[in-house]
């Protein structure tokens, strides 16, 4: 085999890290390779390898395509590329990157896509396992490019072409930043306020404060725009606008609450804008004396017709709606230009009488200061103007319909804010420079010669409007809402501008509300609203959402009383702005590595200031509306938090939660341990937690809300299989703990043996001060039938726990803990039930189809009925047999597995505190008694003592417990612990250990030594004799336990300790067996002989 590593390939100046050489495994590969190199220039290829050894893909970047390649690197777009099929019928090829055979793929955007991405196919890179363990020496590739394309592994150029072809075929419409964001934001910001309220605002506040009001409102929207831009450029943005941005940043709780409010606000805003339009039309009808019914009903009629027409435009599709928006913007721009032109057209006497004198320095100076009237002030005027500055999210709300949301939203939103702010300031300053505050409208109110003007600009210009001080006038900035119409060059164009402003805002809201609502429903945050998630047509139009928005808008149009609801709508929008700003601050503050916005012109503290400013503005506009908004949002937040939707969006809330936990854990490391703060922190050897639920339940009883609990599992066997199984089950088992409300962690290790795995867990589990200090393990009930290595591992784990100075608790219940067989049977029964239901559904469908098939169908139906009955009979027999099996074999086991979940009735917890282990033996049952399930149980204390000192021993123990502040019901001094057990009990013990005895004393020395070497685990006669007294004590203790504690709810007993290397494993297991045999649930506890109790304060 030859390797094509010719210098003219590797030293080529255009070569880059995508260099791939082809290795030809044939007799004349050298010549062929040389010919290839000499005949054509080198190719720069992006390689992709898969498990399919017969597939081949080559994406070539010629030197002349370098600019296109650079564009790919910058924008993540795929440049044009070509597919080179190669005939390899008689030859074998290998792909080589960086001069080596490798499965490692080069970086590619398709590896980072989400599953189901609409912008491209997700590709799966080789796993680390494949790279690490299965690196083949020769990676063969051959023809099959077409098949690879079919499998979603097409080249970059082909994917781009395919997506374009699909877009052309389906007519899918995407908007650029101008038509999609800039136009919509400008139209939504420029409302009717521009034409009929701005002159009044500048009249009240004056030019100076008026500009400050505009800039203050702009500051709120600009900060929000910056925050929106930062969030929108931190990853791919889908449809949903403000809801999407907030929910993906702060999580479903905030996003779900504000999403519903924001969608509703937009729906009601449709009614507001439509009523504004209808009122203007009714005013025109009134002027021409053509009222249809009366003013209120005419508003309802015109409003209904208008909203139906707008709905038709929206349902027709986004493209039609966008065209309508462009037309409305043109009309609006002409109307604004018409006003500015009108200010320079020489005025006439009629307009002068109404207060318009063209640009005059005296009028500018007179109107520069404030002149608040009718109880108005700075904040009340600001509250009236601020709704005119909203609408900055109109572009973001249709983010799903934008070609490039990341680029379009920042550019279009910020430019729209700039243009509209300049227009507002320009209109305000120009109007206040041309029109006086008060005018009578009477052309005869001219200045009389010799009259004192007292600084009045109108008087200096020849008109006397002094009577306006004593009686109301109809004209001027303060009195006439139609100042712009009067000033403009052509009045009807201002009316057209009012129509354009109201209709465009209504249309934008009518589109925004369903789009936001659809995104909310798709995420299934509110399960009852999932009906509205369905989209229709090429653009996935939310038709159902349109209908709902139409109904809401119609309801408020028919009410025709929007003065009360309007402040609430403004506050809903402000609440959205506040949360967007807070989202930007929160994401920055959490310092998550995933927070990398492409938009850099933001600051986390400015965003926080913007959030607080929005909250302040809410109360300035209307304090009771602000309170209502907060109450509704809080209610929705609590609801979503309670329901806990199953979503994971990587929110900054999660990131900050991690940061807080990390900081707390680090802070805890600086705190020295103190006996008063001791709490059991348990490592529980449950295996999979659902396999031994009772063991977890009893441990959880004294660790819940009190200490650390880690459920541990050890995988033994081939490393590769163990790791795969372990990794695949981690999330499932932790989810089981969460679902069953067990406040515990799950941890697993892969090891060569059970003991090695537990040893690793004992040493490495936990974090800082949150490390396990107690091992909880179930009693090995099958030790007599288990392999020797299993028993050695089990006892070895107990020795290791003592070596690492951990407390140890061995738990035993009569039926055992392992319910894996029950779970397996239940799973099989569930499968059978599913199959039965599927069979019944199929039969019903067939019967329905055959109802129309006449007499033949009747006979077929009869035959099928017989077969079905037979199958049903067989199935019922199987179910009956299995049900009997479960009932007879597993019912007690099932009951035992749930016994610690139930509330314990009145009874006792008997504590046999025989040895002082630091107090863990007494602390565990005390913690149990302060739990709700065990609070009805009293503590009875049993301890050893002398016959002649029973009362004194009781007093000593009572004094000790009272100092520890532990309540008890009774104290019993057991004096006959060291008596020999009765013959029957001892005989049972001897019979139990008989199979494991070496009995070397009955054999000659050579044979005995040989047996010791072959079976070192067996109990020798010498060992049994040496520990005879201790064996007597365990058997005798069981007799005493049977006598005194047979009726207890739980027994807590001092665990005997076997000296390492002296007591054999089987003798120790025999002690534990005889000690806990035929008793209620028993905890054999041994602390690490360090104090866990203290009587000092």
């Amino acid at each position: 085999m030859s390797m094509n590593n010719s210098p003219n390939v590797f030293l080529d100046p255009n070569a880059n890290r995508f260099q791939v050489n082809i290795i030809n495994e044939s007799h004349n590969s050298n010549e062929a390779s040389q010919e290839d190199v000499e005949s054509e220039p080198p190719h720069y290829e992006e390689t992709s390898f898969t498990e399919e050894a017969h597939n081949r893909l080559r994406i070539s970047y010629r030197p002349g395509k370098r600019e296109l390649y650079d564009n790919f690197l910058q924008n993540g777009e795929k440049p044009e590329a070509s597919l080179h099929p190669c005939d390899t019928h008689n030859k074998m090829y290998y792909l080589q990157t960086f001069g080596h055979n490798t499965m490692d793929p080069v970086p590619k955007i398709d590896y980072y896509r989400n599953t189901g991405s609409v912008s491209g196919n997700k590709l799966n890179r080789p796993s680390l396992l494949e790279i690490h363990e299965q690196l083949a020496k020769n990676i063969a590739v051959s023809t099959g490019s077409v098949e690879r394309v079919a499998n979603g592994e097409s080249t970059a150029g082909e994917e781009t072409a395919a997506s374009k072809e699909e877009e052309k075929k389906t007519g899918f419409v995407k908007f650029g930043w101008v038509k999609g964001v800039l136009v919509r934001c400008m139209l939504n910001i420029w409302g009717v306020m521009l034409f009929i309220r701005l002159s009044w605002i500048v009249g009240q506040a004056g030019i100076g404060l008026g500009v400050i009001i505009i800039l203050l409102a702009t500051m709120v929207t600009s900060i929000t725009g910056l925050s929106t831009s930062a969030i929108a450029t931190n990853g791919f943005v889908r449809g949903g606008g403000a809801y999407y941005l907030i929910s993906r940043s702060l999580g479903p709780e905030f996003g779900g609450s504000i999403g519903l409010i924001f969608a509703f606000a937009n729906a009601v805003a449709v009614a507001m804008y439509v009523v504004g339009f209808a009122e203007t039309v009714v005013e025109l009808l009134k002027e021409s004396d053509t009222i249809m019914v009366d003013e209120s009903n005419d508003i309802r009629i015109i409003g209904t017709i208008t909203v139906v027409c707008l709905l038709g435009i929206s349902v027709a599709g986004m493209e039609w709606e966008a065209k309508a928006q462009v037309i409305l913007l043109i009309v609006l721009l002409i109307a604004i230009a018409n006003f500015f032109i009108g200010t320079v057209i020489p005025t006439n006497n009629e307009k002068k009488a109404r207060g318009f004198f063209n640009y005059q320095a005296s009028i500018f100076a007179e109107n520069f200061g404030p002149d608040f009237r009718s109880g108005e002030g700075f904040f009340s005027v600001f509250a009236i103007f601020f709704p005119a500055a909203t609408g900055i999210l109109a572009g973001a709300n249709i983010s799903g319909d934008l070609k490039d949301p990341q680029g379009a939203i920042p550019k279009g939103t910020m430019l729209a804010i700039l243009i509209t702010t300049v227009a507002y300031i320009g209109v305000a300053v120009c109007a206040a420079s041309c029109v006086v505050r008060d005018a009578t409208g009477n052309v005869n109110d001219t200045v009389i010669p010799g009259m004192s003007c007292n600084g009045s600009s109108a008087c200096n210009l020849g008109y006397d409007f002094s009577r306006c001080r004593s009686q109301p006038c109809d004209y001027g900035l303060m009195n006439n809402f139609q100042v712009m119409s009067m000033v403009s060059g052509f009045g009807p164009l201002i009316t057209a501008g009012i129509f354009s402003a109201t209709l465009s805002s209504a249309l934008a809201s009518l589109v925004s509300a369903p789009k936001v609502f659809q995104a909310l429903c798709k995420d299934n945050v509110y399960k009852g609203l999932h009906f509205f998630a369905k989209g229709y047509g090429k653009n996935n139009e939310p038709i159902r959402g349109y209908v709902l928005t139409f109904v809401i808008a119609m309801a408020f149009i028919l009410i025709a009383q929007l003065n009360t609801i309007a402040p609430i709508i403004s506050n809903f929008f402000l609440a959205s702005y506040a949360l967007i700003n807070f989202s930007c601050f929160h994401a920055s503050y959490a310092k998550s590595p995933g927070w990398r916005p492409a938009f850099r012109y933001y600051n986390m503290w400015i965003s926080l200031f913007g959030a607080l400013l929005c909250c302040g503005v809410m109360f300035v506009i209307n304090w009771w509306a602000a309170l209502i908004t907060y109450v509704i949002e809080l209610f929705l937040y609590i609801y979503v938090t309670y329901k806990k939707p199953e979503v994971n969006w990587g929110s900054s809330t999660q990131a900050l939660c991690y940061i807080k936990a990390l900081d707390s854990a680090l802070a805890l490391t600086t705190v020295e341990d103190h006996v008063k703060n001791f709490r059991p922190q348990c490592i529980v050897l449950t295996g999979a937690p659902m396999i031994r639920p009772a063991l977890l339940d009893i441990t959880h009883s004294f660790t819940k809300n009190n200490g650390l609990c880690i459920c541990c599992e050890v995988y033994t066997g081939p490393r590769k299989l163990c790791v795969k199984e372990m990794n695949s089950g981690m999330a499932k088992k932790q989810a089981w703990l969460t679902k069953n409300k067990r406040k515990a962690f799950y941890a697993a290790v892969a090891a060569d043996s059970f003991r090695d795995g537990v040893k690793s867990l004992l040493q490495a589990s936990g974090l800082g001060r949150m490390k396990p200090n107690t091992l909880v393990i179930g009693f090995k009930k099958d030790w007599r039938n288990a392999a020797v290595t299993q028993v050695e591992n089990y006892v070895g784990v107990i020795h290791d726990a003592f070596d690492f100075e951990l407390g140890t608790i061995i738990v035993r219940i009569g039926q055992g803990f392992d319910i894996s067989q029950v779970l397996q049977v239940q799973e099989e029964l569930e499968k059978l039930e599913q199959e039965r239901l599927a069979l019944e559904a199929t039969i019903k469908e067939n019967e329905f189809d055959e109802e129309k098939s006449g007499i033949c169908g009747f006979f077929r139906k009869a035959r099928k009925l017989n077969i079905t009955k037979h199958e049903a009979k067989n199935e019922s027999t199987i179910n009956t047999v299995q049900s009997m099996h479960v009932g007879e074999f597993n019912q007690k086991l099932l009951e035992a597995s749930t016994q610690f979940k139930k509330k314990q009735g009145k009874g006792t917890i008997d504590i046999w505190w025989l040895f002082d282990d630091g107090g863990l033996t007494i602390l565990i049952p005390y913690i149990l008694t302060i739990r709700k399930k065990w609070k009805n149980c009293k503590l009875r204390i049993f301890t050893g003592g002398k016959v002649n000192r029973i009362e004194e021993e009781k007093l000593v123990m009572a004094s000790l417990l009272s100092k520890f502040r532990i309540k008890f019901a009774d104290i019993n001094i057991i004096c006959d612990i060291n008596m020999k057990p009765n013959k029957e009990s001892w005989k049972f013990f001897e019979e139990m250990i008989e199979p494991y005895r070496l009995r070397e004393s009955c054999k000659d020395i050579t044979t005995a030594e040989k047996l010791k070497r072959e079976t070192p685990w067996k109990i020798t006669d010498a060992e049994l004799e040496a520990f005879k007294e201790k064996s007597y004590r365990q058997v005798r203790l069981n007799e005493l336990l049977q006598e005194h504690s047979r009726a207890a709810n739980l027994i807590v007993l001092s665990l005997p300790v076997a000296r390492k290397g002296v007591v054999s494993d089987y003798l120790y297991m025999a002690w534990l067996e005889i000690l806990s045999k035929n008793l209620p649930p028993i905890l054999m506890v041994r602390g690490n002989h360090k104090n866990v109790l203290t009587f000092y304060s």
Side-chain angles (χ1 to χ4, degrees), residues 34 119 186 271-272 377 433 461 464 516 553 559 595 609 620 627 629 641 643 729 815 827 962 992:
Q34 290 295 331
S119 57
M186 288 170 64
M272 289 176 60
S433 301
L461 295 170
D464 179 18
V516 172
I559 292 170
W595 175 248
F609 172 72
V620 166
L627 287 178
T629 304
T641 304
K643 288 295 182 181
Q815 299 298 321
E827 189 177 344
S962 63
M992 181 174 62

Side-chain angles (χ1 to χ4, degrees), residues 536-584:
Y536 296 87
K538 58 190 179 183
N539 266 37
N540 195 33
E541 296 290 348
I543 303 296
R544 296 173 179 177
Y546 282 130
V547 173
L548 180 63
T549 305
F550 171 77
V551 171
I552 294 171
M554 280 298 303
F556 283 96
I557 288 170
L558 294 175
I559 292 170
Q561 293 292 328
L562 296 177
N563 289 339
T564 303
I565 200 70
I568 298 178
I569 302 308
S570 296
N571 275 301
F572 281 179
F573 284 123
L574 274 167
S576 304
Y577 296 171
L579 275 180
I580 287 175
N581 284 310
F582 184 71
S583 298
C584 184

